Each structure stands twice: as C-alpha cells, then as structure tokens.
C-alpha cells in the first residue's frame, strides 16, 4: 500500500504528542477534524492530530463499488468476513505514520492510535502488534476483526485501551463491542468500556471522555 495522505492539525507549536485517528468505511480524514476543539485539551497542549484518508478499494458488501476503505468487507454477518491481508496492509501504512512522528521527535509512547468502525479494527491490529510501547488505543463503535491472528507485542502488553459503543448501533451491534472487550480481557489486557445512547456515530460526552484519556496518557 502506498503512503497515506492525511490532514494534520496541531494544537500548539512543536508538538510533543500525537493522535492518529482513523475514519470509518466510505468516509475520509475530514470526518473527525471537528472533534479537536471539543476535546477540552489545555491551552498549552501541543498535540499533532493526524487524520489519514483510506485508499479507494472495491467493497464486496457494496456491490464491489470502490470507496474509501481500510479493507474489504465480504459479508455483514455478525462475525464480519473481512480481508485480513488488506487490514494488515492498512495497519502497516499507519505504522509508517507512527514512524514519521517519531522522526519528528514524538516518542512512540506519546502516540495514541484511535479508530472509528473499520478504522477501529485497524487500530486494534496496529496498537497491539506495534513493537514499541504506544500511548494508548481508542476503539470507537468497532470490532476486533483480527483477534485470532494478531501478533501481540510484549511492549504493548499493558497499553491503555478505551472502548466506546452506541447502544443503538445498527451497523456494528453493541454485542461486537462487548465481545471485543471480553476478548481483550482474555488476552490479558485491561480495557475500559463505555456505552452511549446513540447509533453508529459519536457524541459529545464520548468526545469529552476521549479528551480526558488524551490528557491522562499524553499530557
């Protein structure tokens, strides 16, 4: 996969921390740009937010039509039949963004990987397998697509993980969020889990809690 195009927003000069935030199927990096001012970060916080754009891929469940996607979804049953090779390729492409931040002077342990829906599945894969300790994983309205194949790194054995889900989500049922948390716990992780009365989206209360997560682990 080619290097990803992305939007960068800096909350201060010479950022010392970064959040790489992955959008969902059919969206773009612009989707989550508006959340930055709502996070409630301190005025003196210097964080670089990276919002990558997924490449255009044919998506089986949409009749093979090409659209921004981190990987192909072949069936929408409860277990989500996905193209895991494409998912891992996307994780590798995002890992190159992590490397780019490190080259700019931001240590890996001050980089959070966040993802919504499809982007969350990539965040799980990258965040748990990355060979250096990361700052955290934020999983929004998503599922753990590579739970059976991910090669977990010892460096991130205790990485902070916060999982969020809408109780009325018709696209990614909350049961998949619950299953992700249960699987993570079985693997030895200690994720937090919060739900909100919403569909397949985000809400202000969730964004504010994400802001607290960022302050706690990066600032």
């Amino acid at each position: 996969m080619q290097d990803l195009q992305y939007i960068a927003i800096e909350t201060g000069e010479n950022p010392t921390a970064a959040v790489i935030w992955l959008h969902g199927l059919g969206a773009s990096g612009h989707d989550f740009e508006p959340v930055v001012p709502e996070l409630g970060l301190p005025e003196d916080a210097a964080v670089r937010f990276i919002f990558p754009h997924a490449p255009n891929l044919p998506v089986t469940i949409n009749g093979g039509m090409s659209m921004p996607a981190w990987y192909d979804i072949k069936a929408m049953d409860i277990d989500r039949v996905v193209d895991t090779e494409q998912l891992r390729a996307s994780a590798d492409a995002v890992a190159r963004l992590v490397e780019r931040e490190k080259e700019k002077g931001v240590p890996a342990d001050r980089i959070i990987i966040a993802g919504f829906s499809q982007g969350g599945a990539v965040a799980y894969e990258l965040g748990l397998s990355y060979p250096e300790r990361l700052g955290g994983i934020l999983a929004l309205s998503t599922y753990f697509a590579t739970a059976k194949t991910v090669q977990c790194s010892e460096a991130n054995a205790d990485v902070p993980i916060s999982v969020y889900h809408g109780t009325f989500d018709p696209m990614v049922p909350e049961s998949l969020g619950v299953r992700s948390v249960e699987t993570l716990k079985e693997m030895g992780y200690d994720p937090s889990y919060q739900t909100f009365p919403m569909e397949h989206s985000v809400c202000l209360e969730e964004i504010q809690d994400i802001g607290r997560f960022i302050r706690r682990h990066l600032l």
Side-chain angles (χ1 to χ4, degrees):
M1 182 178 291
Q2 295 181 342
D3 288 347
L4 297 171
Q5 300 297 307
Y6 61 87
I7 300 158
I9 297 176
E10 298 181 358
T11 64
E13 294 183 3
N14 303 314
T16 59
V19 178
I20 300 175
W21 198 315
L22 311 178
H23 62 76
L25 177 65
S28 76
H30 293 288
D31 261 28
F32 287 99
E33 277 185 279
V35 308
V36 176
E38 306 298 331
L39 292 167
L41 301 183
E43 290 186 6
D44 61 350
V47 181
R48 182 180 294 111
F49 286 85
I50 304 293
F51 299 105
H53 305 296
N56 282 318
L57 298 174
V59 177
T60 301
I61 60 167
N62 287 329
M65 183 171 60
S66 288
M67 61 182 58
W70 298 110
Y71 52 86
D72 186 21
I73 301 176
K74 300 179 180 180
M76 279 289 283
D77 60 11
I78 194 66
D79 289 316
R80 289 294 193 285
V81 181
V82 308
D83 189 320
T84 54
E85 287 190 16
Q86 288 179 345
L87 192 158
R88 283 192 291 270
S90 288
D92 289 342
V94 178
R96 292 197 291 275
L97 295 180
V98 175
E99 294 301 314
R100 185 171 298 178
E101 288 306 301
K102 288 164 53 184
E103 291 169 2
K104 294 178 180 177
V106 179
D109 63 2
R110 292 181 57 73
I111 300 174
I112 286 173
I113 309 297
F116 176 83
S117 197
Q118 258 207 348
V122 177
Y124 276 138
E125 172 68 23
L126 173 60
L128 299 179
S129 65
Y130 195 73
E132 294 179 58
R133 178 64 148 77
L134 292 168
I137 299 170
L138 290 164
L140 289 62
S141 302
T142 190
Y143 51 97
F144 194 175
T146 55
K148 295 180 180 179
T149 59
V150 62
Q151 299 294 308
C152 297
S153 76
E154 188 174 338
N156 283 298
D158 63 345
V159 65
I161 306 172
S162 195
V163 182
Y164 304 91
H165 220 102
T167 52
F168 304 118
D169 192 331
M171 301 294 295
V172 180
E174 192 206 342
S175 59
L176 290 179
V178 171
R179 182 191 296 181
S180 298
V181 170
E182 291 174 346
T183 300
L184 288 165
K185 289 181 177 179
E186 290 169 0
M187 296 168 71
Y189 299 97
D190 185 26
S192 66
Y193 183 60
Q194 292 188 63
T195 59
F196 300 91
M198 62 183 182
E199 296 190 354
H200 196 58
S201 60
V202 295
C203 64
L204 182 58
E205 293 82 2
E206 177 185 11
I207 296 303
Q208 290 172 336
D209 193 79
I210 289 170
R212 288 189 285 271
F213 183 94
I214 292 171
R215 292 198 300 274
R216 187 161 59 247
H217 296 294
L218 295 187
L219 305 180

